[in-house]
Amino acid sequence: MQVITAGFSKHTRPFYSPKRMLRQYYLLRLQTEGFCQTRINGTVYDVAPGDLLLCKPQDSYELMIKLEEDHAHPSADYYLSLEQGEDWLQQWWEEYESIVKLNVGIDEMLISIWKLLVQEKRRVKDSDAEVLNYMARSLLLHMKRLIAGGDSANVYERSISNRIKTFIEKNATEPITLRDAAASVGLSVSRASQLFKETFDQSIMDYAIEVRLSLAKERMLIGGSTLQEIAYFCGFANYTHFNRLFHSRYRMSPSDYRKQLRPLD
């Protein structure tokens, strides 16, 4: 797919983008700060942080940012426009054909992918269309995962839970605690645990164990390390603890699992 525009906008003063037809482009816009309004095909939408706008070719689009008060919070957003024509993009869009606005929350991974996409697009001399293509695909696939995660009524809970999930994934090999996970989102241990359980039907620490065990299986596949070293590298207190959790999850010991593999080394 061809990325036409990709960027980030922050408005500290009132702004108005007059009505225009999108012609052959798909437009995605994610509000990250403040509030604004859009008029799409004649219908006005109030847009808040976490709101994602999906506009199809031939849609009419206007953006209205009022900021009438001096202390009004700036309005900020990420945007992406893609040229129609590729089957993959059309199939992705058909799943959300009737949707104009929905709230996916402020997801750290989504923002990270979008930032990388913007940076690649701004490379004047050596921007790579293929890199942009795959980055755009990654963005849309992750967006699809967020949309499938639940309805917008639970967007706060999902946003907090996804932030905890990302914290676990980044720090799983460290000796993290429930208190650490809760502190990463500024909540009490009980509240953070409750939200995570409601969103993913799994406890925070059970997910941390799942991530660690998955990393351990990867290291066993690569080879080159003892099981004791793998246990240490993947955040387990000792091999006995690792062995017990591995057997409980997979109904075999790490050594038996390793015997089934063909190490690369």
Side-chain angles (χ1 to χ4, degrees):
M1 72 188 76
Q2 184 177 357
V3 176
I4 305 302
T5 61
F8 173 77
S9 296
K10 189 164 187 175
H11 300 277
T12 58
R13 296 180 180 181
F15 175 83
Y16 173 67
S17 171
K19 179 179 177 180
R20 72 181 194 273
M21 297 294 292
L22 296 178
R23 298 184 181 179
Q24 71 268 37
Y25 302 140
Y26 293 97
L27 173 67
L28 301 96
R29 183 184 183 279
L30 176 68
Q31 187 79 9
T32 55
E33 296 180 51
F35 301 86
C36 68
Q37 288 184 323
T38 60
R39 183 180 285 110
I40 301 172
N41 296 330
T43 301
V44 175
Y45 297 89
D46 294 320
V47 184
D51 280 346
L52 175 69
L53 300 175
L54 300 173
C55 299
K56 304 181 295 297
Q58 306 307 319
D59 283 350
S60 63
Y61 174 81
E62 297 173 72
L63 175 64
M64 299 157 284
I65 300 174
K66 296 181 179 179
L67 300 178
E68 295 174 347
E69 302 175 4
D70 292 339
H71 60 274
H73 198 284
S75 173
D77 65 273
Y78 283 91
Y79 58 88
L80 172 67
S81 61
L82 303 166
E83 188 172 25
Q84 65 173 328
E86 186 169 331
D87 291 343
W88 187 92
L89 176 60
Q90 185 174 342
Q91 290 170 7
W92 185 95
W93 215 275
E94 285 176 353
E95 295 189 39
Y96 312 109
E97 188 172 2
S98 61
I99 296 174
V100 175
K101 188 192 83 167
L102 73 164
N103 197 301
V104 296
I106 305 299
D107 179 76
E108 183 177 342
M109 184 175 291
L110 181 66
I111 298 297
S112 296
I113 299 172
W114 217 315
K115 285 181 177 179
L116 291 172
L117 183 57
V118 172
Q119 290 173 12
E120 180 63 29
K121 182 61 177 174
R122 289 179 179 175
R123 296 174 72 99
V124 177
K125 295 184 177 180
D126 59 350
S127 179
D128 190 313
E130 189 171 7
V131 172
L132 284 170
N133 185 316
Y134 283 105
M135 283 185 172
R137 284 176 181 255
S138 297
L139 183 78
L140 293 175
L141 288 171
H142 185 65
M143 200 175 285
K144 184 175 183 177
R145 181 161 52 187
L146 292 176
I147 293 171
D151 59 57
S152 60
N154 298 318
V155 67
Y156 169 77
E157 289 84 352
R158 287 192 291 113
S159 179
I160 292 295
S161 297
N162 278 322
R163 286 168 57 193
I164 296 172
K165 186 170 177 283
T166 299
F167 175 82
I168 295 296
E169 291 162 354
K170 284 184 175 180
N171 299 280
T173 59
E174 304 298 324
I176 55 176
T177 65
L178 268 177
R179 189 179 298 277
D180 296 328
S184 72
V185 293
L187 294 178
S188 67
V189 168
S190 59
R191 181 59 174 156
S193 299
Q194 177 190 9
L195 291 180
F196 195 91
K197 179 71 173 178
E198 289 175 353
T199 303
F200 298 116
D201 194 27
Q202 184 177 26
S203 72
I204 292 174
M205 295 315 295
D206 185 63
Y207 183 66
I209 291 170
E210 185 175 342
V211 173
R212 288 169 176 167
L213 290 175
S214 177
L215 291 172
K217 290 172 70 176
E218 288 180 8
R219 282 188 170 269
M220 280 188 270
L221 178 63
I222 294 170
S225 302
T226 67
L227 291 175
Q228 288 77 12
E229 289 172 336
I230 289 173
Y232 173 76
F233 289 144
C234 295
F236 295 97
N238 50 60
Y239 177 75
T240 301
H241 186 221
F242 167 56
N243 183 71
R244 178 171 57 82
L245 291 173
F246 194 98
H247 191 280
S248 175
R249 181 81 47 146
Y250 303 117
R251 297 294 183 264
M252 67 175 69
S253 68
S255 58
D256 288 339
Y257 176 80
R258 193 172 205 175
K259 289 175 183 177
Q260 298 179 359
L261 303 175
R262 289 185 175 181
L264 299 178
D265 60 339

